[in-house]
Amino acid sequence: MRRFLAWRSIDDEWRAEGCTVERGDFGLRAVGVQVGSTYQLDYGLETGPELFTERFVVTIKDADGERGILLERAEEDNTWTLNGDPLPLVEGALDVDLALSPLTNHMPAARLEREPTEHLMAWVDVPSLEVTASRQRYEPMGARQVRFVGLDDGFTAELDLDADGFVIHYPGLAGRA
């Protein structure tokens, strides 16, 4: 499957995101751009067959210039590197979560079965690109809907998904364009 997905912000900040997504036996590959009122962010995401993040590269351009990061996860022990250096802060995480992006909710939502599942995520802040650990829970709510819970801050959102498990509506953040 190959698709183009686009979202627009529904919060108080102007923002749009578009990406080309390929999903198959190999996992998921996505290449996209997120444009805000003060920045442009380009990214590439690769997962393995189980939809666990393997590689995430992001570059941002804003008033401070251009900078980027490369996050990689070792499949055998779920250790991470940031630009080639060990990143023990997110050891054990299976996925990356890009701030303000509905795309990165796809992997944990797509793996969700019948029971709530907790995840440790390598969360990437926008626009700083600082990487921190984020504990999250995904709860099934029925066909094509999951509840996202930020376990560190208590934030909750009920996400509407399309037939392929990609976010259509993320309350307070973005809706499919």
Side-chain angles (χ1 to χ4, degrees):
M1 170 207 45
R2 183 181 173 104
R3 296 180 58 188
F4 178 77
L5 303 170
W7 297 272
R8 59 178 165 54
S9 61
I10 56 174
D11 56 12
D12 293 334
E13 296 296 319
W14 184 90
R15 185 177 56 261
E17 180 173 348
C19 64
T20 301
V21 176
E22 290 182 82
R23 184 157 173 205
D25 293 340
F26 57 84
L28 178 126
R29 292 185 197 117
V31 175
V33 61
Q34 185 184 103
V35 178
S37 58
T38 61
Y39 68 90
Q40 175 183 323
L41 180 145
D42 297 285
Y43 63 82
L45 171 69
E46 296 175 18
T47 77
E50 290 88 26
L51 297 180
F52 300 135
T53 302
E54 292 181 347
R55 186 172 195 267
F56 183 69
V57 60
V58 61
T59 304
I60 195 163
K61 298 172 193 141
D62 62 13
D64 294 329
E66 182 174 337
R67 60 199 173 281
I69 62 170
L70 170 63
L71 283 169
E72 294 180 292
R73 183 183 66 84
E75 185 177 346
E76 61 277 355
D77 60 3
N78 296 324
T79 57
W80 290 76
T81 58
L82 172 63
N83 299 330
D85 296 324
L87 186 62
L89 176 68
V90 295
E91 187 172 317
L94 300 176
D95 295 303
V96 68
D97 186 4
L98 177 63
L100 308 174
S101 175
L103 174 69
T104 51
N105 295 101
H106 174 73
M107 291 89 70
R111 293 190 309 264
L112 190 60
E113 304 261 338
R114 298 174 193 259
E115 299 295 321
T117 307
E118 293 188 6
H119 302 273
L120 178 65
M121 308 289 271
W123 192 77
V124 180
D125 182 64
V126 173
S128 73
L129 302 185
E130 178 185 359
V131 180
T132 59
S134 173
R135 295 179 318 112
Q136 303 175 0
R137 183 172 59 238
Y138 284 77
E139 303 169 355
M141 296 186 59
R144 300 185 185 172
Q145 192 174 47
V146 299
R147 178 179 292 122
F148 166 86
V149 180
L151 297 174
D152 298 320
D153 61 10
F155 175 80
T156 300
E158 294 178 2
L159 312 180
D160 295 321
L161 310 174
D162 66 17
D164 294 321
F166 293 99
V167 173
I168 295 172
H169 182 248
Y170 191 128
L173 180 72
R176 188 79 64 81

